[in-house]
Amino acid sequence: AVVSTQSTGDKAELDRFCDAMISIRKEIQEIQDGEQDPENNVIKRAPHTMDALTADVWDRPYSRQKAAFPLPWLTSSKKIWPACGRVDDAYGDQNVFCTCPPLEAYSISDLENPQRAILQ
């Protein structure tokens, strides 16, 4: 992959991106080395929603800490929490579809006042 500094942000942001890629590679290596279950691991079960991480039952062989904050600089104030987990594994990732009403369902007044359309 080619990453352009002009489209991705400053050096600190690029460093965070590189740290994330290195961390993911280490997680892959843990699977290859037999340290993590090939079917039930932090990569296969990602993304980890706040609901999953705060549930009473944690049925995964890795820690909630590893799932939520895999890097030292990633704290709750800097985390973007995913709204949902993986949907139907790779099929859901590759076959995304929109459940929004078609554009024809919106009136001209909705287009002039999009907030009103959202609230309806």
Side-chain angles (χ1 to χ4, degrees):
V2 175
V3 179
S4 166
T5 56
Q6 295 169 350
S7 64
T8 57
D10 60 14
K11 183 181 180 311
E13 185 65 25
L14 286 171
D15 287 344
R16 285 188 292 274
F17 175 79
C18 290
D19 288 345
M21 295 297 103
I22 292 167
S23 176
I24 291 168
R25 180 62 187 108
K26 287 178 182 176
E27 291 166 351
I28 292 168
Q29 191 64 51
E30 289 175 358
I31 297 165
Q32 291 173 328
D33 292 345
E35 297 169 18
Q36 293 293 325
D37 184 311
E39 296 303 318
N40 189 10
N41 58 66
V42 73
I43 294 176
K44 282 280 219 175
R45 301 292 298 269
H48 299 88
T49 65
M50 188 181 296
D51 288 344
L53 289 162
T54 58
D56 290 338
V57 176
W58 182 254
D59 64 347
R60 300 168 190 201
Y62 49 90
S63 71
R64 293 177 200 238
Q65 179 71 23
K66 183 172 185 165
F69 308 111
L71 295 167
W73 52 262
L74 187 58
T75 61
S76 58
S77 64
K78 296 178 181 172
K79 176 136 177 116
I80 298 173
W81 294 97
C84 67
R86 190 170 291 211
V87 178
D88 198 15
D89 260 340
Y91 180 85
D93 295 340
Q94 296 168 359
N95 296 281
V96 178
F97 61 93
C98 181
T99 60
C100 305
L103 287 177
E104 296 79 25
Y106 295 98
S107 68
I108 295 298
S109 62
D110 290 340
L111 297 175
E112 293 168 355
N113 186 358
Q115 187 63 32
R116 186 174 135 288
I118 292 169
L119 297 175
Q120 290 182 351

